[in-house]
Amino acid sequence: MSPSEAKKSENKKTPNLRALAAKILFQVVDKGRSLADELPDAQLKLTNPKDKGLLQEICYGVLRYLPQLEYQSKEFISKPLTGKQRVFHFLILVGIYQLRYTRIPDHAAISETVSACESLKNRHMKGLTNAILRNIQRNGSDDLEQLFEHCADAIKYNHPGWLLKKLQLAYPDDWINIVSANMQRPPMWLRVNQQKISVADYLELLAQAGIEVAHQDSHSQALCLDQPRDVSTLPGFQQGLVSVQDGAAQHAAVFLNAQSSDSVLDACAAPGGKTCHIAERTPGIAKLLALDVEEHRLQRVHENLQRLQLNAQRICADAGDPNSWWDGQAFDRILLDAPCSGTGVIRKHPDIKWLRRASDIEQLVSLQGRILAAIWSTLKPGGKMIYATCSILPEENRQQIERFVAQNQDAEWLPLGDGHQRDWQILPGQDSKDGFYYAKLGKKA
């Protein structure tokens, strides 16, 4: 085989990552698939780590700026692309994103995006794709803020209108800061496994590896890195010295404060970060049960426990149906990280903005209430429960707890601790953390 033939053969084996991005975005936006499900499968088709990273950057970026990208594309697309051509709509958005929101050289962004048409098996779309991207390149305004100044809020702030209205109502003084934080790339937080190494000693390992820490949380001991990085570069990651977990989520085990004699339930436990943190903080705990309704997600709990060399019982079942899993032995402490809208973690999961609907919130509130009532029956008198969500919507959080306490005479609202007298609503970006909510309930003896 000649060198030129070998090169052609190699090119055939390497997928065009812009084409992969367009397919992923089509599945997420039009078909309602989760980016967390679609992206990893596509990344397996790429061998170069930089290509995997660029694919992620493009997919995340298009989903962050989707309304503005749609707005810019409409000026140059006379008729909507539908049917088999629909994926090319997202390919064009991929091209616009590269031109307007990244430092990728224009010629590379345009040529690679146009080349993706062949990978998507439609060479006839090359002309249209090229023409639109060339027009964007020539005619696009350098001042994006001015370009969208008079647009509807949904376009101006890159959030669905229903969500903006909820945020404006709940946080009249903070909603702009919230949507701004949602548009940022998330920092990388670490949780040190203090069964294996002290925080001080792990900080020394990071320093030796040339990895800088931006700051350390004084209550949970969580470490925020100055720059995200591949976990393979973290000292002792495979040996279980450290895990990746947001600084907000690390307060769950702290507030739960399980003791070694306790029987503890982590309801809705997957992927297991909080289960592992409870086990790390409480060596020799009497009983730790991780419960989740999805088998494939419960497997993640197993994998995390195994890497960290920790133990917990695992059951796949519906937390809202104790008859299907509970042995009748009441728990001393329960962590309920309830299913929620995820509106506090949009910066990590920008697809949430487009997968969620206003009608979902009422259904989620109902589901949370059902699980909360069912799990409450498994808590001992005198026992304590931490209720948590990664939502920032009051109806899923404080209003949910207010209603529960009003309806259950044996429930009392307890101080969280660490200076929080009642509950704690962390907003996205606050102290560089995800949006999160915590409340502590006690069961009267």
Side-chain angles (χ1 to χ4, degrees), residues 279-292:
E280 289 172 4
R281 285 177 52 87
T282 320
I285 191 168
K287 180 180 180 180
L288 177 56
L289 172 59
L291 187 71
D292 203 88

Side-chain angles (χ1 to χ4, degrees), residues 56 63 82 120 137 193 204 221 262 299 318-320 358 393 419 439:
Q56 176 171 310
L63 291 169
T82 58
L120 295 171
Q137 181 190 29
N193 183 357
E204 181 61 29
Q221 304 301 306
D262 285 342
Q299 178 61 27
D318 178 3
L393 301 182

Side-chain angles (χ1 to χ4, degrees), residues 276-399:
C276 292
H277 197 191
I278 294 168
E280 289 172 4
R281 285 177 52 87
T282 320
I285 191 168
K287 180 180 180 180
L288 177 56
L289 172 59
L291 187 71
D292 203 88
V293 72
E294 295 184 22
E295 185 65 54
H296 75 280
R297 299 191 74 233
L298 199 61
Q299 178 61 27
R300 291 279 308 282
V301 180
H302 169 70
E303 292 167 359
N304 284 320
L305 287 166
Q306 196 170 44
R307 182 180 64 81
L308 295 165
Q309 300 173 18
L310 299 168
N311 295 303
Q313 182 185 357
R314 301 176 305 281
I315 295 179
C316 183
D318 178 3
D321 181 20
N323 291 331
S324 67
W325 55 268
W326 187 40
D327 62 6
Q329 300 297 310
F331 296 97
D332 297 286
R333 299 183 192 247
I334 294 175
L335 170 61
L336 174 55
D337 186 2
C340 70
S341 62
T343 45
V345 292
I346 286 173
R347 62 181 183 172
K348 280 184 180 172
H349 305 283
D351 52 329
I352 285 173
K353 293 189 291 186
W354 319 119
L355 297 178
R356 285 276 177 258
R357 300 288 182 269
S359 57
D360 294 340
I361 307 306
E362 184 177 347
Q363 296 174 19
L364 284 165
V365 169
S366 176
L367 174 62
Q368 293 158 359
R370 179 175 70 83
I371 295 175
L372 183 54
I375 290 293
W376 188 251
S377 67
T378 72
L379 183 67
K380 285 182 182 177
K384 296 179 177 64
M385 174 189 287
I386 295 295
Y387 176 85
T389 76
C390 55
S391 169
I392 57 173
L393 301 182
E395 52 262 61
E396 297 182 84
N397 296 334
R398 176 172 290 179
Q399 292 174 17

Side-chain angles (χ1 to χ4, degrees), residues 214-234:
H215 58 269
Q216 177 180 350
D217 187 277
S218 59
H219 296 291
S220 66
Q221 304 301 306
L223 305 178
C224 183
L225 300 185
D226 69 327
Q227 293 290 335
R229 57 185 59 244
D230 191 285
V231 293
S232 63
T233 67
L234 297 174

Side-chain angles (χ1 to χ4, degrees), residues 114-376:
V114 172
S115 295
C117 294
E118 292 195 29
S119 298
L120 295 171
K121 297 181 171 55
N122 191 332
R123 294 183 180 182
H124 299 295
M125 290 298 297
K126 292 177 72 172
L128 176 63
T129 303
N130 183 66
I132 291 173
L133 296 184
R134 294 289 181 191
N135 271 319
I136 291 286
Q137 181 190 29
R138 285 192 299 267
N139 303 323
S141 168
D142 291 331
D143 188 345
L144 291 178
E145 189 173 327
Q146 183 180 19
L147 180 63
F148 306 117
E149 183 180 1
H150 300 294
C151 291
D153 280 355
I155 296 172
K156 187 175 180 180
Y157 296 106
N158 288 296
H159 281 63
W162 70 266
L163 180 55
L164 286 176
K165 289 177 182 177
K166 281 187 172 292
L167 295 179
Q168 289 163 353
L169 181 64
Y171 304 100
D173 298 325
D174 293 313
W175 71 270
I176 291 181
N177 291 333
I178 292 171
V179 297
S180 176
N182 287 346
M183 296 297 292
Q184 306 304 311
R185 292 174 176 82
M188 187 174 188
W189 285 85
L190 303 182
R191 185 189 77 241
V192 177
N193 183 357
Q194 297 184 59
Q195 280 198 32
K196 291 180 174 290
I197 189 170
S198 70
V199 173
D201 286 345
Y202 193 75
L203 283 168
E204 181 61 29
L205 288 182
L206 289 175
Q208 292 172 9
I211 299 174
E212 294 187 18
V213 173
H215 58 269
Q216 177 180 350
D217 187 277
S218 59
H219 296 291
S220 66
Q221 304 301 306
L223 305 178
C224 183
L225 300 185
D226 69 327
Q227 293 290 335
R229 57 185 59 244
D230 191 285
V231 293
S232 63
T233 67
L234 297 174
F237 180 81
Q238 290 302 330
Q239 292 72 40
L241 299 189
V242 69
S243 298
V244 177
Q245 186 181 34
D246 189 80
Q250 292 190 47
H251 289 281
V254 176
F255 289 144
L256 189 68
N257 194 28
Q259 306 300 303
S260 58
S261 60
D262 285 342
S263 175
V264 178
L265 169 65
D266 183 2
C268 311
K274 300 177 187 68
T275 303
C276 292
H277 197 191
I278 294 168
E280 289 172 4
R281 285 177 52 87
T282 320
I285 191 168
K287 180 180 180 180
L288 177 56
L289 172 59
L291 187 71
D292 203 88
V293 72
E294 295 184 22
E295 185 65 54
H296 75 280
R297 299 191 74 233
L298 199 61
Q299 178 61 27
R300 291 279 308 282
V301 180
H302 169 70
E303 292 167 359
N304 284 320
L305 287 166
Q306 196 170 44
R307 182 180 64 81
L308 295 165
Q309 300 173 18
L310 299 168
N311 295 303
Q313 182 185 357
R314 301 176 305 281
I315 295 179
C316 183
D318 178 3
D321 181 20
N323 291 331
S324 67
W325 55 268
W326 187 40
D327 62 6
Q329 300 297 310
F331 296 97
D332 297 286
R333 299 183 192 247
I334 294 175
L335 170 61
L336 174 55
D337 186 2
C340 70
S341 62
T343 45
V345 292
I346 286 173
R347 62 181 183 172
K348 280 184 180 172
H349 305 283
D351 52 329
I352 285 173
K353 293 189 291 186
W354 319 119
L355 297 178
R356 285 276 177 258
R357 300 288 182 269
S359 57
D360 294 340
I361 307 306
E362 184 177 347
Q363 296 174 19
L364 284 165
V365 169
S366 176
L367 174 62
Q368 293 158 359
R370 179 175 70 83
I371 295 175
L372 183 54
I375 290 293
W376 188 251

